[in-house]
Amino acid sequence: MAFEFSERHIDEFKTRGYTVFRQIVPPSLIRDLRAAAEEARRLAREKGGPQAQRLQPVGAYEIDRGPFVDFSGLPELVDAVARVLTPRHSPSNPETCGILLEPAEEPYCTTWHRDGRSAGTDMGPWRRMFHHVDFFNQTNCPLYRDSSLWYVPGSHLRPDDFSLEAPLDREGPKTSIDLEGMDSEERERVCNEYVLAMPGAVRLDLEAGDYALYRSNAWHLGTYVPYTKRATLHDYVDTPAFYEWRKSGEEG
């Protein structure tokens, strides 16, 4: 079924902090992007070893840029992003876009985090820009079925953390997940327990060709297992103002 935009996408984004444009990427483009992603997987592991889970930006590597250019200019996608956000927002850019990959050997998860802030930095700019539409928009677009992204709906509306959230922060008391010395099954269990410790967290179940648009200043993380193939386009939904802010070094 062809993608159809509705007011529901705007309402979801405003209230939950995310929305999904289901099946918006056509099969022919998915095919071309998958071929490029295979080269990205090879390069990522060549550069970072078997546990490498990202190659970014794709524009910095010897990878066919054509599919990524086509993706960023896909008319239905450009229109949908503009209607939820503004015409200033770019759905993607080969100069910033990355590909998220499955680890080759061991399960892994990131820590719960909110983009744009870090310990020891001035939180004033982050708070001032927290609600501004030009900042903190991000996307995951899977080329294969992907359930790696977890998100706390509504946390994009409040810069302050709830008491049960703060201990899970990557910049808080628990700065990493201790997986040392564990076998694969133990690592997977520990990651799952950590993920599920976040109150209100939901998993985003995405099919190939879906485009998840979300506020990245909300609580979110990724959890990865080697037995599920992954190749997910990951990028800022950028504006000139957001780009300049990151370039200035003010981002945490």
Side-chain angles (χ1 to χ4, degrees), residues 153-173:
S155 59
H156 70 297
L157 297 173
R158 50 179 176 84
D160 294 315
D161 304 331
F162 291 152
S163 60
L164 294 179
E165 296 172 338
L168 302 172
D169 191 349
R170 65 176 178 179
E171 303 298 346

Side-chain angles (χ1 to χ4, degrees), residues 177-197:
I177 311 302
D178 184 8
L179 303 173
E180 189 67 29
M182 298 181 187
D183 63 26
S184 291
E185 289 71 26
E186 290 171 325
R187 290 170 66 101
E188 186 174 358
R189 177 65 59 85
V190 168
C191 285
N192 286 339
E193 289 173 348
Y194 172 72
V195 169
L196 295 173

Side-chain angles (χ1 to χ4, degrees), residues 27-44:
S28 59
L29 182 52
I30 294 174
R31 181 191 62 236
D32 294 343
L33 287 164
R34 282 177 173 177
E38 287 304 309
E39 180 63 10
R41 179 179 283 100
R42 184 189 69 79
L43 290 171

